Amino acid sequence: MTKQSKLAQGRSYLAIPGPSVMPDAVLSAMHRAAPNIYEGELVEMMPALAADLKRVARTDRHVAMYISNGHGAWEAALSNVIAPGDRVLVLATGRFGHGWAEMATGLGAEVEILDFGRNAPIDLAQVAERLKADTGHQIKAVMAVHVDTSSSVRNDVPGLRRLLDEAGHPALLMADCIASLGCERFEMDAWGVDVMVTASQKGLMVPPGMAFVFFNDRAEEARARLPRVSRYWDWSPRAHAEEFYQYHGGTAPTHHLYGLRAALDMIHEEGIEQVWQRHATLARAVWAACEAWSAEGSLRFNIEDRALRSHAVTALRLQAPHATEVRDWVQSNLGLTLGVGLGMALPGEAAWHGFFRLGHMGHVNGHMVMGLLGGIEAGLCALKIDHGPGALQAAAEVIGGA
Protein backbone atom coordinates (compact mmCIF):
# COMPACT_ATOMS: atom_id res chain seq x y z
CA MET A 1 0.00 0.00 0.00
CA THR A 2 1.49 3.36 -1.04
CA LYS A 3 1.62 6.01 1.66
CA GLN A 4 0.69 9.57 0.75
CA SER A 5 3.71 11.87 0.65
CA LYS A 6 3.98 14.55 3.34
CA LEU A 7 5.23 18.04 2.54
CA ALA A 8 6.18 18.57 6.16
CA GLN A 9 9.46 16.71 5.75
CA GLY A 10 12.67 18.73 5.94
CA ARG A 11 13.56 21.43 8.41
CA SER A 12 10.54 22.76 10.30
CA TYR A 13 9.97 26.48 10.78
CA LEU A 14 8.89 27.81 14.18
CA ALA A 15 7.27 31.13 13.25
CA ILE A 16 5.93 31.95 16.70
CA PRO A 17 6.82 35.18 18.57
CA GLY A 18 9.39 33.46 20.76
CA PRO A 19 11.23 31.29 21.28
CA SER A 20 12.53 32.49 17.95
CA VAL A 21 14.58 30.59 15.37
CA MET A 22 17.95 29.66 16.87
CA PRO A 23 20.94 30.35 14.56
CA ASP A 24 23.22 27.42 13.78
CA ALA A 25 26.13 29.48 15.09
CA VAL A 26 24.43 29.77 18.48
CA LEU A 27 23.59 26.07 18.63
CA SER A 28 27.13 25.15 17.58
CA ALA A 29 28.61 27.39 20.25
CA MET A 30 26.48 25.65 22.88
CA HIS A 31 27.34 22.15 21.67
CA ARG A 32 30.44 21.54 23.78
CA ALA A 33 31.60 19.78 26.89
CA ALA A 34 30.97 21.45 30.24
CA PRO A 35 33.56 24.20 30.80
CA ASN A 36 35.59 25.09 33.86
CA ILE A 37 33.64 27.62 35.95
CA TYR A 38 36.60 28.66 38.11
CA GLU A 39 39.12 29.92 35.58
CA GLY A 40 39.82 30.16 31.90
CA GLU A 41 37.86 31.22 28.82
CA LEU A 42 34.35 31.36 30.28
CA VAL A 43 35.40 33.45 33.27
CA GLU A 44 37.49 35.79 31.16
CA MET A 45 34.79 36.52 28.59
CA MET A 46 32.22 37.92 31.05
CA PRO A 47 33.20 41.62 31.12
CA ALA A 48 33.07 41.87 27.33
CA LEU A 49 29.80 39.92 27.26
CA ALA A 50 28.19 42.40 29.65
CA ALA A 51 29.55 45.32 27.65
CA ASP A 52 28.15 43.93 24.40
CA LEU A 53 24.75 43.35 26.00
CA LYS A 54 24.70 47.01 27.00
CA ARG A 55 25.56 47.98 23.42
CA VAL A 56 22.37 46.27 22.24
CA ALA A 57 20.33 48.08 24.91
CA ARG A 58 22.05 51.37 24.04
CA THR A 59 23.17 52.08 27.58
CA ASP A 60 26.47 52.69 29.30
CA ARG A 61 25.10 51.98 32.77
CA HIS A 62 24.45 48.56 34.34
CA VAL A 63 23.17 45.07 33.49
CA ALA A 64 22.36 42.15 35.78
CA MET A 65 21.99 38.61 34.40
CA TYR A 66 19.66 35.93 35.75
CA ILE A 67 19.03 32.25 35.08
CA SER A 68 15.38 32.84 34.33
CA ASN A 69 12.69 33.56 31.79
CA GLY A 70 11.08 36.98 31.32
CA HIS A 71 8.82 36.48 34.33
CA GLY A 72 11.93 36.24 36.47
CA ALA A 73 13.21 39.49 34.98
CA TRP A 74 9.92 41.13 35.97
CA GLU A 75 10.35 40.00 39.57
CA ALA A 76 14.05 40.85 39.69
CA ALA A 77 13.45 44.38 38.47
CA LEU A 78 10.61 45.04 40.89
CA SER A 79 12.43 43.47 43.83
CA ASN A 80 15.24 45.99 43.53
CA VAL A 81 13.19 49.19 43.43
CA ILE A 82 9.75 48.52 44.99
CA ALA A 83 8.97 47.80 48.64
CA PRO A 84 5.70 46.29 49.90
CA GLY A 85 3.09 49.02 50.01
CA ASP A 86 4.69 51.15 47.30
CA ARG A 87 2.33 52.27 44.53
CA VAL A 88 3.11 51.46 40.91
CA LEU A 89 1.24 52.54 37.79
CA VAL A 90 0.99 49.82 35.14
CA LEU A 91 0.07 50.81 31.58
CA ALA A 92 -1.50 47.70 30.02
CA THR A 93 -1.97 47.16 26.28
CA GLY A 94 -2.24 43.37 26.29
CA ARG A 95 -1.66 40.25 28.32
CA PHE A 96 1.90 41.01 29.33
CA GLY A 97 1.19 44.37 30.92
CA HIS A 98 -1.30 42.57 33.14
CA GLY A 99 1.24 39.84 33.81
CA TRP A 100 3.81 42.32 35.08
CA ALA A 101 1.09 43.91 37.22
CA GLU A 102 0.29 40.51 38.74
CA MET A 103 3.97 40.09 39.60
CA ALA A 104 4.00 43.46 41.37
CA THR A 105 0.86 42.52 43.31
CA GLY A 106 2.53 39.30 44.43
CA LEU A 107 5.43 41.32 45.82
CA GLY A 108 3.08 43.46 47.92
CA ALA A 109 2.97 46.60 45.78
CA GLU A 110 -0.15 48.72 45.54
CA VAL A 111 -0.87 48.24 41.84
CA GLU A 112 -2.90 50.69 39.77
CA ILE A 113 -3.63 49.68 36.18
CA LEU A 114 -4.54 51.96 33.30
CA ASP A 115 -5.91 49.45 30.80
CA PHE A 116 -5.96 50.63 27.18
CA GLY A 117 -7.46 47.43 25.82
CA ARG A 118 -6.06 44.78 23.51
CA ASN A 119 -5.89 46.66 20.23
CA ALA A 120 -4.71 50.16 21.11
CA PRO A 121 -1.48 51.73 22.40
CA ILE A 122 -0.95 53.67 25.61
CA ASP A 123 -2.93 56.92 25.57
CA LEU A 124 -0.34 59.48 26.66
CA ALA A 125 -3.02 62.07 27.48
CA GLN A 126 -4.58 59.75 30.07
CA VAL A 127 -1.17 59.05 31.58
CA ALA A 128 -0.42 62.77 31.76
CA GLU A 129 -3.67 63.38 33.65
CA ARG A 130 -2.89 60.61 36.12
CA LEU A 131 0.61 61.92 36.78
CA LYS A 132 -0.72 65.44 37.22
CA ALA A 133 -3.22 64.18 39.79
CA ASP A 134 -0.48 62.47 41.81
CA THR A 135 0.55 65.63 43.61
CA GLY A 136 2.01 63.69 46.52
CA HIS A 137 4.16 61.56 44.24
CA GLN A 138 2.77 58.33 45.64
CA ILE A 139 3.52 56.53 42.37
CA LYS A 140 7.05 55.11 42.66
CA ALA A 141 7.27 53.54 39.20
CA VAL A 142 5.51 53.71 35.85
CA MET A 143 5.63 50.29 34.16
CA ALA A 144 5.05 49.81 30.43
CA VAL A 145 5.58 47.09 27.85
CA HIS A 146 7.41 48.42 24.79
CA VAL A 147 5.94 45.70 22.52
CA ASP A 148 3.21 43.51 23.96
CA THR A 149 3.66 40.12 22.32
CA SER A 150 0.00 39.26 22.68
CA SER A 151 -1.48 42.30 20.95
CA SER A 152 1.55 43.25 18.78
CA VAL A 153 1.19 46.94 19.69
CA ARG A 154 4.31 49.10 19.98
CA ASN A 155 4.18 51.78 22.66
CA ASP A 156 5.79 55.22 22.82
CA VAL A 157 8.42 54.80 25.55
CA PRO A 158 10.22 58.13 24.99
CA GLY A 159 6.80 59.79 25.13
CA LEU A 160 6.37 58.43 28.65
CA ARG A 161 9.68 59.93 29.72
CA ARG A 162 8.59 63.27 28.30
CA LEU A 163 5.38 63.13 30.37
CA LEU A 164 7.28 62.35 33.57
CA ASP A 165 9.71 65.19 32.95
CA GLU A 166 6.97 67.69 32.09
CA ALA A 167 5.10 66.75 35.26
CA GLY A 168 8.27 66.93 37.35
CA HIS A 169 7.38 63.45 38.60
CA PRO A 170 10.17 61.38 40.21
CA ALA A 171 8.70 57.94 39.42
CA LEU A 172 11.02 55.45 37.78
CA LEU A 173 10.26 54.57 34.17
CA MET A 174 10.36 50.78 33.76
CA ALA A 175 10.12 49.15 30.34
CA ASP A 176 9.53 45.54 29.32
CA CYS A 177 11.53 44.94 26.12
CA ILE A 178 11.28 41.15 26.11
CA ALA A 179 9.67 41.12 22.65
CA SER A 180 11.46 44.15 21.25
CA LEU A 181 15.15 44.19 22.18
CA GLY A 182 17.21 43.30 19.14
CA CYS A 183 14.18 43.80 16.86
CA GLU A 184 12.90 47.33 17.38
CA ARG A 185 14.72 50.59 17.89
CA PHE A 186 15.25 51.00 21.61
CA GLU A 187 17.54 53.64 23.14
CA MET A 188 17.67 53.14 26.89
CA ASP A 189 19.82 56.13 27.81
CA ALA A 190 18.55 58.52 25.14
CA TRP A 191 14.94 57.69 25.98
CA GLY A 192 15.45 58.12 29.72
CA VAL A 193 14.44 54.61 30.75
CA ASP A 194 15.47 53.81 34.34
CA VAL A 195 14.91 50.04 34.31
CA MET A 196 14.55 47.70 31.32
CA VAL A 197 13.92 43.97 31.32
CA THR A 198 14.40 41.43 28.55
CA ALA A 199 15.11 37.74 28.00
CA SER A 200 17.25 35.57 25.77
CA GLN A 201 14.75 33.78 23.55
CA LYS A 202 13.51 36.43 21.12
CA GLY A 203 15.63 39.11 19.50
CA LEU A 204 18.74 37.85 21.28
CA MET A 205 18.36 34.47 19.50
CA VAL A 206 19.38 32.24 22.43
CA PRO A 207 17.24 29.41 23.88
CA PRO A 208 15.01 30.34 26.82
CA GLY A 209 16.74 30.37 30.18
CA MET A 210 18.45 33.74 30.61
CA ALA A 211 16.95 37.10 31.56
CA PHE A 212 18.51 40.54 31.90
CA VAL A 213 17.73 43.66 33.89
CA PHE A 214 19.35 46.90 32.76
CA PHE A 215 19.25 49.84 35.17
CA ASN A 216 20.67 53.33 35.51
CA ASP A 217 22.04 55.27 38.46
CA ARG A 218 18.60 56.59 39.52
CA ALA A 219 17.37 53.02 39.82
CA GLU A 220 20.52 52.02 41.68
CA GLU A 221 19.84 54.81 44.18
CA ALA A 222 16.28 53.49 44.64
CA ARG A 223 17.76 50.06 45.33
CA ALA A 224 20.06 51.56 47.98
CA ARG A 225 17.05 53.07 49.80
CA LEU A 226 15.30 49.72 50.27
CA PRO A 227 15.68 48.11 53.70
CA ARG A 228 16.37 44.73 52.13
CA VAL A 229 16.47 42.87 48.80
CA SER A 230 16.38 39.12 48.32
CA ARG A 231 19.92 37.74 48.15
CA TYR A 232 19.10 36.01 44.90
CA TRP A 233 17.31 38.85 43.09
CA ASP A 234 19.68 41.60 44.28
CA TRP A 235 21.14 43.10 41.15
CA SER A 236 24.12 44.79 42.84
CA PRO A 237 26.54 41.83 43.03
CA ARG A 238 25.49 40.68 39.56
CA ALA A 239 26.10 44.05 37.94
CA HIS A 240 29.28 44.73 39.88
CA ALA A 241 30.66 41.21 40.12
CA GLU A 242 34.06 40.77 41.72
CA GLU A 243 34.02 36.99 41.31
CA PHE A 244 32.61 34.91 38.48
CA TYR A 245 29.85 33.22 40.51
CA GLN A 246 28.34 36.60 41.39
CA TYR A 247 27.24 37.25 37.80
CA HIS A 248 24.52 34.61 38.20
CA GLY A 249 24.14 34.20 41.95
CA GLY A 250 25.84 30.79 41.86
CA THR A 251 26.61 28.32 39.09
CA ALA A 252 26.45 30.04 35.71
CA PRO A 253 24.27 28.97 32.75
CA THR A 254 27.48 27.95 31.03
CA HIS A 255 26.21 26.82 27.63
CA HIS A 256 23.76 29.69 27.34
CA LEU A 257 26.68 32.08 27.83
CA TYR A 258 28.52 30.57 24.87
CA GLY A 259 25.35 30.81 22.81
CA LEU A 260 24.85 34.42 23.89
CA ARG A 261 28.43 35.26 22.93
CA ALA A 262 27.79 33.90 19.42
CA ALA A 263 24.47 35.76 19.13
CA LEU A 264 25.96 39.08 20.21
CA ASP A 265 28.78 38.61 17.70
CA MET A 266 26.16 38.16 14.98
CA ILE A 267 24.22 41.25 16.06
CA HIS A 268 27.28 43.48 16.21
CA GLU A 269 28.67 42.16 12.93
CA GLU A 270 25.41 43.08 11.21
CA GLY A 271 25.12 46.35 13.14
CA ILE A 272 22.22 47.19 15.43
CA GLU A 273 20.87 49.88 13.08
CA GLN A 274 20.88 47.33 10.25
CA VAL A 275 19.17 44.76 12.52
CA TRP A 276 16.38 47.26 13.18
CA GLN A 277 16.10 48.05 9.47
CA ARG A 278 15.90 44.35 8.53
CA HIS A 279 13.08 43.78 10.98
CA ALA A 280 11.21 46.83 9.71
CA THR A 281 11.45 45.66 6.09
CA LEU A 282 10.37 42.11 6.86
CA ALA A 283 7.48 43.42 8.95
CA ARG A 284 6.31 45.56 6.03
CA ALA A 285 6.40 42.48 3.80
CA VAL A 286 4.22 40.58 6.26
CA TRP A 287 1.81 43.51 6.49
CA ALA A 288 1.59 43.86 2.71
CA ALA A 289 0.57 40.21 2.36
CA CYS A 290 -1.95 40.42 5.20
CA GLU A 291 -3.44 43.60 3.78
CA ALA A 292 -3.95 41.83 0.44
CA TRP A 293 -5.60 38.82 2.11
CA SER A 294 -7.87 41.10 4.14
CA ALA A 295 -9.37 42.65 0.97
CA GLU A 296 -11.82 39.73 0.99
CA GLY A 297 -12.96 37.47 3.81
CA SER A 298 -12.55 37.94 7.55
CA LEU A 299 -8.79 38.29 8.14
CA ARG A 300 -7.97 41.49 10.05
CA PHE A 301 -5.02 43.02 11.90
CA ASN A 302 -5.34 43.34 15.64
CA ILE A 303 -3.52 46.68 15.29
CA GLU A 304 -4.85 48.53 12.27
CA ASP A 305 -2.45 51.49 12.26
CA ARG A 306 0.92 50.53 10.72
CA ALA A 307 2.68 53.17 12.81
CA LEU A 308 1.62 51.36 15.99
CA ARG A 309 2.51 47.80 14.96
CA SER A 310 5.49 45.86 16.21
CA HIS A 311 8.26 44.96 13.77
CA ALA A 312 8.72 41.64 15.60
CA VAL A 313 5.23 40.12 15.82
CA THR A 314 1.94 40.53 13.97
CA ALA A 315 -1.33 39.60 15.71
CA LEU A 316 -4.21 38.67 13.40
CA ARG A 317 -7.91 37.90 13.62
CA LEU A 318 -9.75 35.35 11.48
CA GLN A 319 -13.32 34.20 11.89
CA ALA A 320 -13.38 31.35 14.41
CA PRO A 321 -12.51 28.52 14.11
CA HIS A 322 -10.50 29.35 10.96
CA ALA A 323 -7.42 30.64 12.78
CA THR A 324 -6.90 27.33 14.55
CA GLU A 325 -7.70 25.43 11.34
CA VAL A 326 -5.00 27.33 9.46
CA ARG A 327 -2.45 26.79 12.24
CA ASP A 328 -3.22 23.07 12.37
CA TRP A 329 -3.09 22.68 8.58
CA VAL A 330 0.26 24.41 8.02
CA GLN A 331 1.86 22.57 10.92
CA SER A 332 0.76 19.09 9.89
CA ASN A 333 1.17 19.58 6.14
CA LEU A 334 4.09 22.00 5.83
CA GLY A 335 6.07 21.79 9.06
CA LEU A 336 5.25 25.46 9.74
CA THR A 337 4.23 26.48 13.25
CA LEU A 338 2.30 29.72 13.77
CA GLY A 339 1.66 31.39 17.11
CA VAL A 340 -1.59 30.99 18.99
CA GLY A 341 -3.66 34.01 19.91
CA LEU A 342 -2.71 34.99 23.45
CA GLY A 343 -4.83 36.98 25.86
CA MET A 344 -7.55 37.72 23.30
CA ALA A 345 -9.96 35.07 24.59
CA LEU A 346 -9.88 32.25 27.13
CA PRO A 347 -8.66 28.92 25.72
CA GLY A 348 -12.02 27.26 26.43
CA GLU A 349 -14.00 29.87 24.52
CA ALA A 350 -15.01 29.45 20.88
CA ALA A 351 -13.54 32.90 20.14
CA TRP A 352 -10.07 31.61 21.06
CA HIS A 353 -9.94 29.87 17.68
CA GLY A 354 -10.22 33.21 15.88
CA PHE A 355 -6.74 34.59 16.65
CA PHE A 356 -3.18 33.77 15.62
CA ARG A 357 0.20 35.50 15.57
CA LEU A 358 3.19 35.58 13.25
CA GLY A 359 6.65 35.89 14.75
CA HIS A 360 9.23 37.63 12.53
CA MET A 361 11.95 38.30 15.06
CA GLY A 362 15.61 37.51 15.49
CA HIS A 363 17.29 35.15 13.02
CA VAL A 364 14.87 35.75 10.12
CA ASN A 365 15.51 36.73 6.52
CA GLY A 366 13.60 37.42 3.32
CA HIS A 367 13.19 33.89 2.04
CA MET A 368 11.98 32.70 5.45
CA VAL A 369 9.28 35.36 5.52
CA MET A 370 8.27 34.56 1.94
CA GLY A 371 8.05 30.89 2.93
CA LEU A 372 5.97 31.77 5.98
CA LEU A 373 3.54 33.79 3.87
CA GLY A 374 3.42 31.17 1.13
CA GLY A 375 2.58 28.53 3.70
CA ILE A 376 -0.30 30.59 5.06
CA GLU A 377 -1.62 31.17 1.55
CA ALA A 378 -1.48 27.43 0.87
CA GLY A 379 -3.45 26.83 4.06
CA LEU A 380 -6.09 29.41 3.17
CA CYS A 381 -6.48 27.82 -0.26
CA ALA A 382 -6.56 24.24 1.02
CA LEU A 383 -9.21 25.10 3.61
CA LYS A 384 -11.18 27.25 1.15
CA ILE A 385 -11.11 30.23 3.48
CA ASP A 386 -12.03 33.46 1.70
CA HIS A 387 -9.10 35.82 1.18
CA GLY A 388 -7.98 38.51 -1.22
CA PRO A 389 -5.48 37.87 -4.03
CA GLY A 390 -1.95 39.16 -4.62
CA ALA A 391 -0.51 38.66 -1.15
CA LEU A 392 2.76 37.03 -2.15
CA GLN A 393 3.35 39.54 -4.94
CA ALA A 394 2.79 42.40 -2.51
CA ALA A 395 5.29 40.91 -0.06
CA ALA A 396 7.80 40.22 -2.83
CA GLU A 397 7.62 43.82 -3.99
CA VAL A 398 8.46 45.02 -0.48
CA ILE A 399 11.42 42.67 -0.17
CA GLY A 400 12.53 43.27 -3.75
CA GLY A 401 12.61 47.00 -3.16
CA ALA A 402 14.36 46.83 0.21
Side-chain angles (χ1 to χ4, degrees):
M1 182 176 178
T2 303
K3 293 199 306 184
Q4 185 177 0
S5 66
K6 294 278 288 184
L7 299 181
Q9 303 305 317
R11 176 172 287 194
S12 61
Y13 180 9
L14 186 67
I16 67 175
S20 62
V21 174
M22 298 296 133
D24 289 342
V26 169
L27 298 177
S28 295
M30 298 177 72
H31 189 71
R32 62 177 66 214
N36 188 350
I37 60 170
Y38 299 104
E39 61 183 4
E41 177 186 55
L42 185 65
V43 176
E44 293 165 3
M45 78 181 190
M46 288 306 298
L49 190 74
D52 284 344
L53 272 170
K54 290 188 283 187
R55 285 174 63 192
V56 176
R58 310 284 270 199
T59 181
D60 63 4
R61 305 320 299 150
H62 317 290
V63 60
M65 307 180 202
Y66 296 88
I67 303 174
S68 168
N69 53 23
H71 288 67
W74 282 345
E75 181 159 335
L78 290 165
S79 295
N80 280 275
V81 296
I82 298 298
D86 283 350
R87 178 172 290 275
V88 297
L89 179 65
V90 179
L91 312 176
T93 56
R95 179 68 196 94
F96 290 92
H98 288 283
W100 204 3
E102 291 164 3
M103 188 68 73
T105 298
L107 291 172
E110 293 294 328
V111 177
E112 178 180 344
I113 300 175
L114 287 182
D115 189 352
F116 302 98
R118 295 173 289 188
N119 53 12
I122 293 168
D123 184 335
L124 295 181
Q126 287 189 45
V127 179
E129 286 300 312
R130 181 62 190 92
L131 293 175
K132 182 180 178 180
D134 184 29
T135 55
H137 296 162
Q138 296 301 305
I139 297 170
K140 302 303 180 184
V142 175
M143 299 158 52
V145 178
H146 185 207
V147 166
D148 196 296
T149 326
S150 64
S151 64
S152 77
V153 70
R154 184 175 68 245
N155 286 303
D156 184 357
V157 174
L160 294 173
R161 168 47 61 195
R162 185 179 68 252
L163 295 183
L164 285 162
D165 290 347
E166 289 174 352
H169 202 294
L172 296 173
L173 177 56
M174 304 178 69
D176 172 335
C177 292
I178 294 169
S180 61
L181 192 72
C183 305
E184 309 268 359
R185 177 175 291 278
F186 179 79
E187 306 269 5
M188 181 167 174
D189 290 352
W191 291 2
V193 175
D194 298 301
V195 180
M196 184 269 279
V197 301
T198 195
S200 60
Q201 72 271 19
K202 298 182 188 268
L204 293 179
M205 306 181 293
V206 177
M210 289 194 73
F212 311 95
V213 180
F214 299 81
F215 58 98
N216 65 13
D217 293 344
R218 287 189 72 234
E220 192 161 40
E221 290 166 4
R223 155 68 187 85
R225 291 193 294 269
L226 293 182
R228 69 187 63 82
V229 176
S230 154
R231 294 281 186 178
Y232 187 78
W233 291 126
D234 191 353
W235 64 30
S236 295
R238 294 168 184 266
H240 307 293
E242 297 178 355
E243 297 185 56
F244 178 67
Y245 82 91
Q246 292 177 308
Y247 281 108
H248 298 97
T251 304
T254 54
H255 292 68
H256 278 69
L257 292 174
Y258 282 112
L260 180 60
R261 179 66 273 167
L264 291 172
D265 288 344
M266 293 175 67
I267 290 171
H268 295 312
E269 182 178 358
E270 183 177 358
I272 192 63
E273 296 274 356
Q274 288 70 32
V275 169
W276 295 335
Q277 183 179 354
R278 171 169 54 85
H279 280 83
T281 300
L282 295 177
R284 289 196 301 271
V286 170
W287 301 343
C290 295
E291 286 163 359
W293 286 326
S294 68
E296 300 175 22
S298 64
L299 189 139
R300 297 291 182 271
F301 288 95
N302 187 55
I303 303 298
E304 292 291 345
D305 188 342
R306 276 186 170 219
L308 303 176
R309 291 182 201 150
S310 164
H311 292 158
V313 53
T314 298
L316 298 163
R317 300 166 180 260
L318 192 60
Q319 182 180 344
H322 292 329
T324 295
E325 291 173 349
V326 169
R327 288 193 306 100
D328 289 346
W329 191 92
V330 299
Q331 181 164 306
S332 61
N333 289 279
L334 304 180
L336 171 64
T337 303
L338 308 179
V340 301
L342 192 61
M344 298 296 174
L346 295 175
E349 297 176 347
W352 188 87
H353 298 286
F355 303 93
F356 67 111
R357 294 173 300 153
L358 311 180
H360 34 94
M361 55 174 58
H363 189 55
V364 183
N365 59 27
H367 87 78
M368 294 167 72
V369 164
M370 289 301 298
L372 162 65
L373 298 171
I376 295 171
E377 175 123 339
L380 293 172
C381 291
L383 296 168
K384 296 181 171 52
I385 296 172
D386 288 341
H387 60 283
L392 298 186
Q393 180 177 341
E397 288 175 355
V398 173
I399 291 176

